[in-house]
Amino acid sequence: MRSTTLSALAGFAALVPFTAAQSTSSKRGLCYVPSQKYPGDDSIWVGSGSDLTWYYNYQAEPSDAYKNNKNIQFVPMLWGARDSDTGTPFYDSVKRQLDGGANISYVLGFNEPDGGHSTGGSALPVDLAAARWKAEMEPLKKLGIKLGAPAVTGAASGWTWLQNFFTECDGGCTPDFIPVHWYGNFEGMASHIGSVMATYPNMTVWVTEYGLPNQDLKTTQEFYNMSKNAMDGWGNLTHYSYFGAFRSDVSNVGPNAAMLDQKGKLTDIGSWYMGGVATNNVPKGAGGRIQTIGLPVASVLALFWACML
């Protein structure tokens, strides 16, 4: 099964063109990163012509900017857990939203539980994660909600953590889909997603964070177009959200990965992602610099999440 899936993905990847064409997809969502300095940017993602159908914000409650917007569906997340946690606050929040008429079909599990807090991970031991999942997530199935497994990092530690989590659950944790995080080149991404599909063939796949940090503009755009075309074509991959919904001059995953330029205008990638055409807006970093030299992915992500936390 594993070799068949990987071969199929590799074959599809070979057919993906480097050029971009206007396209829309109901799979695309918003990984929402708020800007206190430019709150008006929030309206860009739900403007006329946007093809984004869902969003998440790493929290249980919807963001004020989209709370009353019926065109984009909120996906709550149980971000992490602590030893001192009692009761079922996440379950209670989702239930309260449903009772109030909210359209909630999915929830997301723990964010990068194999990662440390300095890089945005929830740093959870598997026994605590399994216990809180059974208390907070599993009961939501009775309300008709589909559950996303913990979203581990793309590192080998992620595989190990997830396998240990399911062992600890002993059959008591039954997610419906596997969220994937990936930062790196397209070939690695295709291989990683193929491995996920082969390992968990009875679950669909979401890619809830992905990107190619700190590369030159041409390389970044080629990665975006290849990954977009591939994910739109993979039937078992039902949702994806590009990590880049912020301005280029505050992006610690590199200015070229951002979907907005330093003036808050959609870059080519930002416009393509929303179903539009190229804008020719060139993203620049802090101080108006155009990035041409890359940095190691791990270093970039550590810097970004250090600023976010």
Side-chain angles (χ1 to χ4, degrees):
M1 177 66 181
R2 179 185 295 269
S3 60
T4 300
T5 302
L6 289 175
S7 296
L9 292 181
F12 186 89
L15 299 176
V16 176
F18 283 102
T19 56
Q22 183 177 10
S23 67
T24 60
S25 173
S26 61
K27 295 182 179 184
R28 295 177 199 161
L30 172 66
C31 177
Y32 176 61
V33 180
S35 170
Q36 293 184 345
K37 188 174 182 180
Y38 301 108
D41 290 352
D42 292 343
S43 63
I44 294 172
W45 314 115
V46 291
S48 176
S50 172
D51 68 348
L52 306 187
T53 60
W54 63 279
Y55 82 99
Y56 77 102
N57 59 5
Y58 301 95
Q59 299 177 35
E61 300 282 341
S63 300
D64 289 341
Y66 310 120
K67 189 171 292 185
N68 299 315
N69 193 310
K70 304 298 183 182
N71 296 321
I72 189 166
Q73 185 180 32
F74 176 56
V75 181
M77 173 186 279
L78 177 60
W79 183 86
R82 295 173 295 184
D83 288 324
S84 59
D85 286 347
T86 59
T88 55
F90 179 76
Y91 172 88
D92 295 342
S93 172
V94 175
K95 179 68 163 55
R96 184 169 58 252
Q97 292 175 62
L98 287 170
D99 291 344
N103 177 24
I104 298 176
S105 304
Y106 310 96
V107 294
L108 296 169
F110 308 112
N111 186 68
E112 299 192 351
D114 59 306
H117 291 152
S118 64
T119 55
S122 53
L124 286 180
V126 292
D127 56 343
L128 175 59
R132 295 312 301 169
W133 177 285
K134 291 176 181 179
E136 297 262 48
M137 296 284 283
E138 203 66 26
L140 290 170
K141 281 209 158 190
K142 295 181 180 179
L143 303 181
I145 294 178
K146 294 186 181 299
L147 312 181
V152 297
T153 67
S157 62
W159 280 113
T160 301
W161 192 98
L162 197 58
Q163 291 166 354
N164 291 341
F165 169 76
F166 284 122
T167 299
E168 182 71 26
C169 285
D170 193 24
C173 307
T174 59
D176 299 284
F177 60 93
I178 300 284
V180 168
H181 287 186
W182 181 261
Y183 293 95
N185 64 31
F186 174 75
E187 292 76 15
M189 178 179 173
S191 176
H192 183 68
I193 292 173
S195 295
V196 172
M197 290 180 176
T199 304
Y200 303 102
N202 296 322
M203 288 185 260
T204 55
V205 172
W206 291 31
V207 178
T208 49
E209 284 186 27
Y210 77 101
L212 182 63
N214 271 66
Q215 299 299 317
D216 63 79
L217 185 58
K218 180 176 182 291
T219 301
T220 306
Q221 290 182 341
E222 287 175 350
F223 165 82
Y224 169 77
N225 285 312
M226 291 183 72
S227 59
K228 177 261 297 181
N229 291 348
M231 289 191 288
D232 285 344
W234 292 333
N236 201 40
L237 193 156
T238 62
H239 296 67
Y240 65 89
S241 52
Y242 180 77
F243 190 74
F246 33 75
R247 296 193 182 200
S248 60
D249 59 343
V250 297
S251 170
N252 279 344
V253 288
N256 295 324
M259 290 198 284
L260 299 177
D261 69 9
Q262 67 282 1
K263 297 179 180 179
K265 303 296 184 181
L266 286 169
T267 63
D268 288 349
I269 288 177
S271 183
W272 291 333
Y273 189 69
M274 294 177 62
V277 298
T279 62
N280 297 318
N281 293 324
V282 178
K284 296 179 181 179
R289 293 186 296 272
I290 297 176
Q291 181 182 340
T292 58
I293 300 175
L295 293 174
V297 171
S299 299
V300 172
L301 293 181
L303 285 169
F304 183 86
W305 284 112
C307 293
M308 289 291 293
L309 293 176

